[in-house]
Amino acid sequence: MSGGDAKKLVRSPSGLRMVPEHRAARSPFGLDEPPWVPDKECPRCMQCDTKFDFITRKHHCRRCGKCFCDKCCSKKVPLPRMCFVDPVRQCAECALVSQKETEFYDKQLKVLMNGATFFVTLGTSDKSELMVCRLSNNQRYLVLDGDSHYEIEITQISTVQILTEGFTPGGGNTRAIGMILQYKVPGSEEVMQMKFTAGEDFSCNKKLSAAWLAAMHKVSK
């Protein structure tokens, strides 16, 4: 593991977390731990209004920091956006969100990091270049490699437009065949544009390219 991507194990009141040693290396998809609502400010469950006492204990949701009784905050769910090593206690509402995000981390991010091949056109140029496109290991950059090399910071991407084909009047499924990406270069207000097109002569990679584009669409949301 390179020094820039090195991680350390830290203990917080919410649990063990594996976080980057350097804040600048944090994933753009990460979340900070929320401050907990102080015990003295929550005499009752913030969901069902049950009064806390010696029998009904209070618990803090690790995602929102609010106070709940055990019934309203019993789920332990993975929370990768906060880098928790193990599943942590969350209220029902937060648990649903975290479950959807875990699927994103387990599936879409892995697809993006594995990469796919596209013809890439820069700006208004009429020339395209065959490039392998992937998300960097620290999830901070979209890396494009061919005869040229580009690194686009994820936080600088302003627009992701997925290009599709195959729509039928009866409502048939569409297939992702490309993408238009708009982004800013750090230190400049200029908006750059790239067009990604899946090559028709790479039939064995069509599914991979479509899956990569679908994952990129998830990232933009």
Side-chain angles (χ1 to χ4, degrees), residues 26-32 80-83 105 139:
R26 286 186 55 182
S27 166
F29 306 112
L31 289 176
D32 290 325
R81 291 189 72 183
M82 290 186 192
C83 303
Y105 270 75
Q139 304 163 6

Side-chain angles (χ1 to χ4, degrees), residues 4-5 9 14 32-33 57 82 89 99 104 109-111 113 129 141 145 175 178 184 186 188 193 195-197 209:
D5 292 336
L9 190 65
S14 300
D32 290 325
E33 285 187 80
R57 310 298 293 271
M82 290 186 192
R89 188 184 291 270
Q99 285 168 347
F104 170 74
L109 274 186
K110 288 182 179 178
V111 168
M113 292 168 73
E129 181 179 339
Y141 296 92
D145 278 310
R175 179 171 67 94
K184 288 184 179 180
S188 170
Q193 178 172 295
K195 182 178 180 181
F196 298 67
T197 308
S209 299

Side-chain angles (χ1 to χ4, degrees), residues 21-221:
E21 284 191 353
H22 305 287
R23 190 172 180 84
R26 286 186 55 182
S27 166
F29 306 112
L31 289 176
D32 290 325
E33 285 187 80
W36 283 10
V37 174
D39 287 351
K40 62 182 180 181
E41 293 182 12
C42 52
R44 295 177 177 273
C45 174
M46 300 178 78
Q47 177 64 40
C48 70
D49 205 38
T50 296
K51 186 177 180 180
F52 295 123
D53 54 28
F54 182 74
I55 297 175
T56 305
R57 310 298 293 271
K58 64 185 64 174
H59 302 278
H60 285 85
C61 172
R62 271 50 175 174
R63 186 183 181 101
C64 67
K66 295 179 181 178
C67 277
F68 301 93
C69 66
D70 183 69
K71 183 180 178 181
C72 293
C73 195
S74 61
K75 293 180 179 293
K76 288 194 174 182
V77 179
L79 186 44
R81 291 189 72 183
M82 290 186 192
C83 303
F84 283 110
V85 174
D86 299 310
V88 290
R89 188 184 291 270
Q90 298 177 57
C91 66
E93 184 177 348
C94 286
L96 285 174
V97 176
S98 294
Q99 285 168 347
K100 291 180 181 179
E101 290 175 348
T102 298
E103 181 182 348
F104 170 74
Y105 270 75
D106 288 345
K107 296 181 180 180
Q108 279 80 23
L109 274 186
K110 288 182 179 178
V111 168
L112 290 175
M113 292 168 73
N114 287 336
T117 302
F118 297 93
F119 285 105
V120 179
T121 307
L122 183 63
T124 57
S125 173
D126 56 359
K127 294 182 180 180
S128 60
E129 181 179 339
L130 188 64
M131 308 189 84
V132 175
C133 308
R134 63 178 180 84
L135 189 67
S136 64
N137 290 338
N138 62 13
Q139 304 163 6
R140 293 182 62 83
Y141 296 92
L142 188 61
V143 180
L144 293 79
D145 278 310
D147 291 336
S148 306
H149 176 82
Y150 298 98
E151 293 187 7
I152 301 172
E153 195 168 354
I154 292 295
T155 56
Q156 297 298 318
I157 295 175
S158 56
T159 305
V160 176
Q161 179 187 351
I162 303 298
L163 307 175
T164 60
E165 70 172 10
F167 177 78
T168 62
N173 291 333
T174 59
R175 179 171 67 94
I177 59 169
M179 171 179 71
I180 294 177
L181 197 72
Q182 292 185 326
Y183 62 97
K184 288 184 179 180
V185 177
S188 170
E189 290 301 312
E190 183 181 4
V191 176
M192 305 291 288
Q193 178 172 295
M194 278 186 176
K195 182 178 180 181
F196 298 67
T197 308
E200 289 301 317
D201 52 338
F202 292 93
S203 57
C204 62
N205 289 328
K206 280 185 180 179
K207 284 189 176 180
L208 180 62
S209 299
W212 195 92
L213 289 168
M216 194 66 194
H217 186 53
K218 287 271 189 179
V219 166
S220 68
K221 293 183 176 181

Side-chain angles (χ1 to χ4, degrees), residues 6-10 15-20 80 82-85:
K7 295 185 178 182
K8 61 182 178 181
L9 190 65
V10 298
L16 287 173
R17 302 169 65 219
M18 185 65 77
V19 301
M82 290 186 192
C83 303
F84 283 110
V85 174

